[in-house]
Amino acid sequence: MIFSAPSALLRDPVVDAGLMSVALGLGRRGLGRTAPNPAVGALVVRQGDQGPVIIGRGWTQPGGRPHAETEALARAGSAARGATLFVTLEPCCHRGKSPPCTQAIIAAQIGTVVSAIEDPNPKVAGQGHAQLRAAGIAVRTGIEAQAARRAHAGHIRRIADGRPHVTLKLAVSIDGKVGLLPHRPFAITQERARDRVHLMRAMNDAILIGIGTALADDPALTCRLPGMMGRSPIRVVLDSNLRLPLASGLVRTARDVPVWVVASSAAARERAQVLRGYGVEILRTESPTRINLEPALRWLGARGVTRLMVEGGPTVAAAMIAADLVDEIALFRSPIAIGADGLDALSGLPLEALTRPRGLHSLGIEPIGADTLETFVRV
């Protein structure tokens, strides 16, 4: 392979978008594993005699470091000199637990940085791009910006609002039901849709349910795809009176996969101590009666959770919608009808309340076997 010298790529919008899409795909490998850091993807690219050649790939590693840029630069080695770095988020310019990525980029003598979006973190917020330009590196921004904002929605929401990006997952029958009365579980969707839910769990930092779901279903809330149990998210239960049974699967496995319980200030201290003995972490809210959702989500954000998947029942789902705390909806629909004995998807609200008038826009409907998945995002 012959590389041009210098190897700066021609400014072709189609080529730029294609390469950034590859970087975004790499970054998604880290979703659910990098919190509180964003899951970034990066490519080092040179212009070859037949077109662009990727010479280094990187994505944020588990625990949030090493960062994507340093991973890609390490793989590119000395060939990075004069090359173009594609990165899905502005490179960091502050020293945390590792040196700033801008320092590594400058040291590698990268010629051009193509960055999808600016990092909203006040410690960066354009300063990373400014440092690169000051070092003589060309910087282009805004490539695949919309896709990057969605990929980094958890990081952006946590910086902007102090809480995680919230995805509400619902599986409903063709007549809008989620189970059988009185609160009996029912298999709404088929295996392929359930596998997709397990994959979604792996791409979130935490999963949240209410105590009603915990008592009725005794769920595991883990990622049970082959080889992916280790990517199970933190399990969060809203349980104002600490009713979570000690014999429940959640409590029994709390030392294997973390369980956090959000309780009221009046919940019995003795009960809290017993649960802690099993490895359960307890958060007490200021209210002695009911749990205020927004402070609870801010607590999760303060603990580093950037992406939260809500799999609670009709009460929790309706409360999240009413509080306007839902940023994304994954609505699985089954062709099965449950009938009059069915449990409505949202307590006290019609199913249409999911999207109207709360600024959620449909990205389209995807068939998954006999079921479908419609995704809504906040615009």
Side-chain angles (χ1 to χ4, degrees):
M1 174 64 67
I2 298 173
F3 294 117
S4 62
S7 66
L9 299 178
L10 297 176
R11 297 186 65 165
D12 184 329
V14 175
V15 172
D16 281 355
L19 290 168
M20 189 61 76
S21 293
V22 174
L24 286 164
L26 290 173
R28 281 192 286 272
R29 297 184 182 191
L31 288 176
R33 308 186 78 190
T34 67
N37 287 0
V40 177
L43 299 175
V44 181
V45 183
R46 291 184 68 95
Q47 185 69 34
D49 55 353
Q50 306 265 327
V53 179
I54 297 170
I55 59 172
R57 295 174 172 85
W59 56 93
T60 311
Q61 296 299 293
R65 57 188 58 80
H67 290 184
E69 298 93 322
T70 55
E71 287 284 289
L73 290 170
R75 288 182 170 91
S78 60
R81 183 182 181 190
T84 298
L85 174 70
F86 284 78
V87 61
T88 63
L89 185 69
E90 178 183 8
C92 66
C93 55
H94 61 286
R95 181 176 290 274
K97 294 183 178 179
S98 55
C101 287
T102 51
Q103 179 180 307
I105 294 167
I106 294 167
Q109 300 182 58
I110 285 287
T112 301
V113 170
V114 181
S115 173
I117 56 174
E118 186 175 287
D119 188 343
N121 186 340
K123 294 179 180 179
V124 186
Q127 298 172 74
H129 291 152
Q131 283 188 16
L132 296 173
R133 289 189 176 105
I137 297 173
V139 176
R140 304 205 306 269
T141 62
I143 309 302
E144 290 294 286
Q146 184 175 353
R149 280 191 288 270
R150 182 147 189 252
H152 296 302
H155 174 66
I156 294 168
R157 181 65 64 189
R158 182 170 176 265
I159 293 294
D161 296 335
R163 66 166 177 85
H165 175 87
V166 174
T167 298
L168 174 63
K169 190 279 296 184
L170 285 174
V172 302
S173 63
I174 197 170
D175 51 351
K177 309 297 183 180
V178 294
L180 294 169
L181 290 170
H183 292 273
R184 287 178 290 153
F186 182 86
I188 302 288
T189 55
Q190 296 185 18
E191 185 175 0
R192 286 181 61 183
R194 292 194 292 271
D195 285 348
R196 175 64 70 88
V197 172
H198 285 290
L199 182 61
M200 291 168 60
R201 288 176 179 175
M203 298 173 74
N204 281 270
D205 306 323
I207 186 168
L208 181 144
I209 62 170
I211 184 60
T213 297
L215 294 174
D217 299 351
D218 190 20
L221 304 180
T222 51
C223 178
R224 296 188 293 280
L225 295 175
M228 294 188 69
M229 180 63 90
R231 295 196 59 168
S232 297
I234 298 163
R235 286 114 23 116
V236 182
V237 183
L238 302 177
D239 181 11
S240 58
N241 294 317
L242 294 179
R243 293 187 291 150
L244 188 63
L246 300 183
S248 68
L250 290 171
V251 173
R252 288 186 289 104
T253 61
R255 296 194 186 280
D256 302 317
V257 180
V259 175
W260 297 353
V261 172
V262 182
S264 73
S265 61
R269 296 187 179 279
E270 296 80 4
R271 179 68 174 181
Q273 192 62 33
V274 171
L275 286 168
R276 289 192 184 99
Y278 282 81
V280 175
E281 187 162 344
I282 308 294
L283 162 68
R284 288 184 178 275
T285 62
E286 294 181 359
S287 171
T289 53
R290 61 193 298 270
I291 294 169
N292 190 316
L293 290 175
E294 189 162 358
L297 293 188
R298 287 182 179 275
W299 177 78
L300 294 178
R303 295 296 307 273
V305 175
T306 66
R307 294 169 59 89
L308 175 69
M309 184 170 163
V310 176
E311 284 198 58
T315 300
V316 168
M320 285 284 182
I321 290 291
D324 197 21
L325 292 171
V326 175
D327 304 301
E328 187 170 338
I329 297 171
L331 181 60
F332 291 86
R333 287 189 175 98
S334 165
I336 296 172
I338 293 181
D341 290 336
L343 183 66
D344 289 337
L346 301 173
S347 292
L349 294 174
L351 191 59
E352 292 75 17
L354 284 174
T355 57
R356 297 200 305 259
R358 305 188 182 276
L360 291 167
H361 169 72
S362 174
L363 295 182
I365 299 174
E366 173 188 356
I368 304 180
D371 306 308
T372 62
L373 168 61
E374 186 168 12
T375 302
F376 299 85
V377 296
R378 188 184 290 273
V379 294

